[in-house]
Amino acid sequence: MATAGEIGAIVLTALWLFLPAFLANMAPVFVGGPPPIDGGRVWRDGRRILGDGKTWRGLFLGPLVASAIVLGLSVVPPSEAGRAAGLVGWGSAAETFVFAYVIGFGALVGDAVKSFFKRRSGRDRGARWPGFDQLDFVAGGLLFAAAASALWGLAGGNGAWFSERFTLERIVALVILTPGLHLLVNIVGYKLGKKDVPW
Ligand code: CTP
Ligand code: MG
């Protein structure tokens, strides 16, 4: 059995490493805006392809906000407690910026893919789709990070970038904790008047 301290370290490190995805997923409510990615077009079922909630600005500027914040955070040296907890960073400044962007971008691609299927399931923009609304960006962020890491390896970089950081236990922690965190963030966004619905 893992001790409480060990579990705390896993959780803390997982949330820290995946911060680019959390930030990118939140940023579009501030930096997003028309035109929508689907250009207003409808699918053969008569419903929007993605809907007005998925915009080009959100997709490209969201990850930029995330990688800029993460780059800023990465220059702060870890505290003793953080070091003791095995808090690892995103690598060199270049790796930090690029991987944070890719993780954030993947997160929002996952979010948009979710919206495509959400529309096909007959749910309107902003409707609730428990599970999918919370884990879409986790799947997208992790997949893009893994793919970018493999490419980085082929280009002569550290191909183990992903596997060294996103261990199975950290991924499990993210999948378990994200739905709760997501709800919390959305309630805050709703209270700030940035979201129409508290989910
Ligand atoms: N947003 C954006 N571009 C994106 C993703 C999000 O502009 N690629 C903005 C939109 O204003 C969106 C808000 O962020 O309404 C919240 O995102 P999200 O909850 O993912 O979208 P919903 O409006 O709930 O739409 P959907 O039902 O398709 O998920
Ligand atoms: Mg939503």
Side-chain angles (χ1 to χ4, degrees), residues 7-183:
I7 292 172
I10 291 168
V11 165
L12 196 68
T13 312
L15 294 178
W16 179 251
L17 287 172
F18 208 53
L19 195 60
F22 291 114
L23 292 171
N25 197 47
M26 286 188 258
V29 298
F30 301 102
V31 299
I37 296 171
D38 67 10
R41 286 185 287 273
V42 295
W43 191 246
R44 27 175 198 266
D45 56 11
R47 292 179 174 274
R48 287 286 295 277
I49 299 175
L50 299 176
D52 283 332
K54 302 297 118 130
T55 70
W56 291 113
R57 286 175 56 95
L59 182 65
F60 288 103
L61 296 181
L64 195 62
V65 170
S67 57
I69 294 174
V70 165
L71 189 64
L73 286 174
S74 71
V75 302
V76 181
S79 65
E80 271 313 312
R83 234 192 301 272
L87 206 57
V88 289
W90 298 277
S92 67
E95 281 178 325
T96 299
F97 191 79
V98 172
F99 276 98
Y101 192 93
V102 169
I103 291 173
F105 187 75
L108 292 178
V109 169
D111 173 57
V113 169
K114 179 280 312 280
S115 289
F116 175 79
F117 290 106
K118 193 172 172 181
R119 294 301 91 81
R120 305 290 73 75
S121 80
R123 290 171 177 81
D124 287 329
R125 172 197 177 175
R128 256 177 131 151
W129 204 18
F132 298 94
D133 277 329
Q134 291 78 37
L135 293 173
D136 52 359
F137 77 99
V138 177
L142 290 174
L143 273 173
F144 271 60
S149 176
L151 287 176
W152 184 228
L154 290 177
N158 175 18
W161 189 94
F162 181 79
S163 59
E164 283 170 4
R165 289 175 175 78
F166 291 95
T167 57
L168 184 61
E169 53 198 2
R170 289 178 190 156
I171 292 174
V172 169
L174 288 173
V175 170
I176 294 173
L177 291 170
T178 301
L181 275 173
H182 193 260
L183 192 63

